[in-house]
Amino acid sequence: MALADRVVVVEDGVVVQEGTPVEVARRPRTDYVARLVGLSLLPGTASGTTVALDGGGEVAVAEPAQGPVLVAVRPETVSLYLSRPDGSPRNVWPATLAGATPHGSTVRCDLAGAVPLTADVTATAFAEMGLVPGAQVWASVKASEVAVYPR
């Protein structure tokens, strides 16, 4: 994607998305495309600054939207805590660490829960928090870090 002018993504023999690398990376149309570019993609229905996810759970977004939408969250914007955090982020959810994979200088954490996400934390933070698969954590994302766009 770094050298391409245009990208065509084929999933199960069908073209699911095409566009410039920037367009595809910023607004993936399927979970497969989102995983290729390293994002969590959550389908839902927006009403103002709240998105009710198709799988349950809610996400607060900064920009009002209406109707069927996709919510995209970058792993580096997800913060993990061992207890429920206080503060300004409007999105705070309980989650279970489903898996963890070293990813450069970070550990990529797959989170299961009402809002399934991927989070990147430093290896040091991962170790200091004592994280292991099955650990109960709290995930937090600022509403301004959540991308929302029509399906």
Side-chain angles (χ1 to χ4, degrees), residues 26-143:
R26 284 191 181 154
R27 292 187 164 207
R29 306 302 306 167
T30 70
D31 186 58
Y32 174 71
V33 176
R35 282 184 280 119
L36 284 176
V37 298
L39 299 176
S40 297
L41 189 66
L42 309 165
T45 303
S47 179
T49 57
T50 301
V51 176
L53 300 178
D54 290 354
E58 288 186 347
V59 177
V61 297
E63 297 294 322
Q66 294 295 325
V69 295
L70 293 170
V71 170
V73 180
R74 294 186 327 273
E76 66 272 15
T77 66
V78 179
S79 297
L80 299 183
Y81 303 88
L82 295 176
S83 58
R84 185 179 176 91
D86 292 326
S88 65
R90 293 179 35 224
N91 293 305
V92 178
W93 310 281
T96 301
L97 180 59
T101 308
H103 190 259
S105 63
T106 64
V107 177
R108 181 147 287 178
C109 300
D110 295 317
L111 305 174
V115 181
L117 295 169
T118 300
D120 284 345
V121 298
T122 65
T124 301
F126 187 85
E128 287 176 354
M129 292 175 72
L131 296 177
V132 295
Q136 301 300 303
V137 296
W138 288 86
S140 175
V141 180
K142 290 185 175 190

